[in-house]
Amino acid sequence: AAEGAMEEEEVIINFQNIETLEEHGINANDLQKLKDAGYHTIESIAHATIRKSGSVELDKLLEGGIETGSITEVFGEFRTGKTQLCHTLCVTCQLAVTDGGAEGKAMYIDTEGTFRPERLQAIAERFNMDPIATLENVAYARAHNSEHQMELLKTAAAILSQDRYALIVVDSATALFRTDYSGRGELSERQMQMAQFLRQLTRLGEEFGVAILITNQVVANPDGMSFAKDSTKPIGGNIIAHASTTRLRMRKGRGENRICTVFDSPTLPEADAQFAVGPKGIQDAVE
């Protein structure tokens, strides 16, 4: 009898067909659109990636978009478009799955005071969305020190369990750890605390099926040759390198143009894309 029970247990199906959504008021027309886009289970919608960055070239570079359940890190110097990308994705993640969004809310943990609600409203208008409703769908928290930043993840878990979220942004993930542990003798403590923060962040991503976007700064690379194309390196060393599944490097191009490079990724080829930053977020590069 025990063997029979074992065999029965093995055929438990862990996914739900998309048709079951019809019972919850989703019309057949919308379901067909989702199927045409390749979504056949409820789980596939819950784990939909955010495929719209605001720039066609950047979307091509990221192929499947910002991945759910893992950390995507964006690093670069000041004013290279990191925060702009964070703002744009906070809006586009709310779009319908068929429009390249993930039909979820966004959470923004701000450690440097870079969050601009008026920018979100301008981006929302660009995508023909209601600016007020879009802003209400972004949960915002300002962290004042690294300990507070850790505490916010506990609050985040409570919020994520109550509603459908698609994205968590931490801008920047490293700044407060740098200022709180600045002495030479504090480096190992800083790395330990940072690792713990990133582990908890990854766990939230996996548990709630949300995409995670963190920003990071760069420092001059002492081993880098000064005549090399880029003599900077992202801070955080191996800790950040191991925690981030996808790493994107941002640098300045001509005028308002910026260049995004796939620095490290298990799925994306190393390549570049040009985009521009404007008052309405990330846009196509200007000739």
Side-chain angles (χ1 to χ4, degrees):
E3 273 179 30
M6 281 284 287
E7 278 172 26
E8 271 175 39
E9 273 176 24
E10 277 170 21
V11 288
I12 293 169
I13 293 171
N14 281 328
F15 63 83
Q16 293 167 280
N17 275 326
I18 201 167
E19 278 82 8
T20 50
L21 289 176
E22 234 176 316
E23 298 159 21
H24 299 279
I26 307 288
N27 69 41
N29 201 2
D30 286 342
L31 287 181
Q32 194 51 52
K33 272 191 203 164
L34 286 166
K35 283 188 198 167
D36 293 344
Y39 298 95
H40 295 277
T41 64
I42 292 176
E43 286 70 21
S44 67
I45 301 170
H47 289 269
T49 53
I50 306 157
R51 300 191 311 284
K52 212 181 199 78
S53 66
S55 150
V56 175
E57 285 301 306
L58 196 51
D59 289 346
K60 279 188 204 156
L61 180 78
L62 299 174
E63 287 177 7
I66 303 288
E67 204 174 62
T68 51
S70 70
I71 294 179
T72 298
E73 172 202 355
V74 184
F75 67 87
E77 289 176 11
F78 180 61
R79 292 213 62 223
T80 47
K82 306 186 297 287
T83 297
Q84 288 275 25
L85 181 62
C86 294
H87 280 67
T88 307
L89 290 171
C90 278
V91 175
T92 59
C93 76
Q94 300 179 36
L95 288 165
V97 172
T98 46
D99 293 333
E103 291 184 35
K105 297 182 174 186
M107 181 177 288
Y108 203 110
I109 296 175
D110 176 7
T111 68
E112 298 184 290
T114 49
F115 182 74
R116 297 285 176 273
E118 62 279 7
R119 175 60 49 85
L120 284 186
Q121 290 179 305
I123 299 166
E125 281 166 9
R126 170 185 160 196
F127 288 104
N128 302 319
M129 293 158 74
D130 177 349
I132 306 295
T134 302
L135 204 51
E136 281 173 358
N137 285 335
V138 180
Y140 169 77
R142 173 83 160 92
H144 296 284
N145 55 50
S146 59
E147 211 172 316
H148 184 204
Q149 189 176 326
M150 297 280 272
E151 278 301 307
L152 283 174
L153 290 190
K154 290 179 190 163
T155 316
I159 295 171
L160 291 168
S161 64
Q162 288 164 7
D163 218 326
R164 160 75 186 130
Y165 277 78
L167 175 70
I168 301 173
V169 167
V170 186
D171 182 23
S172 113
T174 49
L176 294 175
F177 290 99
R178 263 182 102 180
T179 47
D180 290 357
Y181 302 94
S182 52
R184 264 212 109 105
E186 296 180 293
L187 183 65
S188 66
E189 179 64 19
R190 174 184 98 181
Q191 294 300 82
M192 253 166 54
Q193 294 297 332
M194 206 148 50
Q196 200 182 337
F197 174 77
L198 293 166
R199 260 201 311 277
Q200 287 179 10
L201 196 56
T202 306
R203 200 164 71 222
L204 286 180
E206 289 169 353
E207 190 179 336
F208 297 103
V210 292
I212 297 167
L213 183 67
I214 66 171
T215 68
N216 189 9
Q217 292 116 333
V218 291
V219 285
N221 184 0
D223 340 323
M225 305 293 183
S226 53
F227 52 79
K229 187 169 69 190
D230 198 338
S231 54
T232 59
K233 63 175 184 179
I235 63 175
N238 289 339
I239 300 285
I240 293 247
H242 292 314
S244 310
T245 304
T246 305
R247 310 187 80 192
L248 306 172
R249 178 200 288 270
M250 300 275 204
R251 56 184 205 275
K252 289 182 183 146
R254 198 175 289 139
E256 288 303 305
N257 285 357
R258 303 287 182 266
I259 301 149
C260 176
T261 309
V262 176
F263 185 75
D264 188 19
S265 163
T267 50
L268 304 174
E270 282 188 20
D272 288 354
Q274 284 229 30
F275 64 94
V277 289
K280 294 186 173 177
I282 299 286
Q283 296 164 328
D284 288 324
V286 186
E287 286 306 317

